[in-house]
């Protein structure tokens, strides 16, 4: 494996934390003996083009410094390739890094995990979700710009109430980190209405129901630790679907705090499914994945087993376990 790594940086992530995190991360990688090349990009498209060029040139790893949005962009460069992805969490939510057991709030520590794994066990394979339109998981009709090759995602696809919250949060002038999501929830409750959904599951079942939201998880959480698909695993070849049914505002307010511990799954208004693929449709509803807009439903989602090689601890492994970090 080459000792040259590519640092893929979003300097604006986490209200500027990305720029500050890049320096200690790069220093830690270089101190471990790796050559580090930094990719910024003037726009998202430019950054993606540069990342893909680095992957095509044989970089030893693409190491993202940023949040879930930047990770989502990086997936489009490395998914389905042999190039591993490292993550230095520096965003607001950091749900993908959280699901992988990576250190949060300490870029040097996250970089040490990257170097340790590169020098010892190597990357491990995990699943990704892949999104298309209508009945085609890699379709392109009507999708948001950037999703047209079939969009990859690592955490959760959100639709319904939570996607409307995302819409509102993105429009809010006051940015309050992870609490922006909570503030947007309170604002959206005023106009809350359930939505008629049609879900077509991979076993042929069709579920028609009025629902507050439908979330499809490759990972377990979104919104900075909201464990909406609490039992989802990144390596089981399946997607976890959480359907929050037709409930009134009072019930939603009562159930909402339970999402942070994942105990909402036992509520009678919540139904779960585990599938390899599904199509979800609802009127006037936008889908979001990894916090990024996809466009209007219908969308088809598939789990692609082993689609990503990631530099993260194995489940149950301490992220800071000591080992040689020499490049090889």
């Amino acid at each position: 494996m080459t000792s040259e790594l590519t640092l893929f940086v979003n300097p604006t992530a986490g209200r500027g934390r990305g720029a500050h995190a890049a320096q200690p991360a790069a220093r830690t990688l270089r101190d471990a003996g790796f050559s580090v090349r930094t990719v910024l990009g003037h726009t998202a498209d430019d950054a993606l083009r540069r990342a893909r060029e680095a992957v095509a040139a044989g970089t030893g790893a693409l190491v993202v410094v940023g949040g879930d949005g930047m990770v989502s962009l990086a997936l489009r460069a490395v998914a389905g390739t042999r190039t591993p992805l490292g993550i230095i969490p520096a965003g607001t939510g950091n749900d993908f890094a959280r699901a992988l057991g990576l250190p949060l709030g300490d870029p040097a520590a996250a970089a040490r995990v990257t170097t340790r794994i590169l020098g010892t066990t190597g990357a491990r394979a995990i699943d990704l979700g892949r999104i298309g339109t209508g009945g085609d998981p890699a379709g392109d009709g009507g999708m948001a710009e950037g999703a047209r090759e079939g969009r990859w995602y690592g955490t959760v696809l959100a639709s319904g109430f939570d996607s409307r919250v995302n819409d509102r949060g993105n429009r809010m002038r006051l940015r309050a980190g992870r609490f922006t999501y909570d503030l947007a929830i309170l604002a959206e409750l005023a106009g809350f209405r359930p939505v008629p959904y049609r879900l077509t599951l991979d076993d042929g079942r069709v579920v028609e129901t009025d629902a507050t939201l439908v979330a499809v998880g490759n990972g377990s959480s979104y919104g900075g630790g909201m464990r909406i698909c609490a039992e989802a695993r990144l390596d089981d070849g399946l997607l976890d679907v959480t359907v929050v049914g037709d409930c009134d505002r009072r019930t939603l307010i009562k159930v909402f705090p339970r999402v942070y511990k994942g105990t909402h799954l036992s509520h009678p208004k919540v139904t779960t499914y585990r599938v390899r693929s599904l199509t979800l449709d609802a009127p006037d509803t936008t889908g979001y994945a990894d916090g990024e807009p996809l466009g209007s439903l219908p969308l088809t989602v598939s789990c692609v087993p082993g689609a990503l090689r990631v530099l993260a601890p194995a489940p149950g492994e301490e992220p800071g376990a000591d080992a040689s970090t020499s490049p090889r």
Side-chain angles (χ1 to χ4, degrees), residues 157-170:
L157 186 157
S159 70
F161 180 75
D162 45 4
S163 63
R164 293 198 295 273
V165 168
N166 260 313
D167 284 336
R168 180 175 290 272
N170 290 338

Side-chain angles (χ1 to χ4, degrees), residues 161 164 188-194 211-212 245-249 252:
F161 180 75
R164 293 198 295 273
E188 276 298 316
L189 280 171
F192 166 70
R193 293 289 186 279
T212 301
D246 180 358
C247 53
D248 56 28
R249 293 184 186 88
L252 187 59

Side-chain angles (χ1 to χ4, degrees), residues 202-316:
D202 57 359
D203 62 4
R205 281 182 294 167
V206 176
V207 178
E208 294 187 342
T209 183
D210 287 346
T212 301
L213 66 87
V214 176
V216 185
N218 180 57
S220 59
S221 72
Y222 60 7
M226 298 174 64
R227 303 184 66 222
I228 187 68
C229 299
E231 297 178 355
R233 291 174 47 191
L234 293 171
D235 58 0
D236 63 355
L238 297 169
L239 299 167
D240 281 37
V241 184
T242 299
V243 180
V244 178
D246 180 358
C247 53
D248 56 28
R249 293 184 186 88
R250 181 178 298 178
T251 302
L252 187 59
I253 292 170
K254 184 177 179 180
V255 173
F256 169 69
R258 296 171 58 177
V259 175
Y260 285 100
K261 293 185 177 180
T263 57
H264 64 291
L265 296 183
S266 63
H267 193 277
K269 287 290 187 179
V270 177
T271 306
T272 60
Y273 305 92
R274 191 162 282 161
V275 300
R276 290 180 174 83
S277 65
L278 82 158
T279 299
L280 60 163
D281 193 9
D284 303 318
T285 301
T286 301
Y288 276 75
D290 294 336
E292 300 296 309
L294 298 168
S296 299
L297 273 56
L299 295 172
T300 292
V301 193
S302 300
C303 181
V304 183
L308 178 68
R309 300 179 70 236
V310 67
L311 300 171

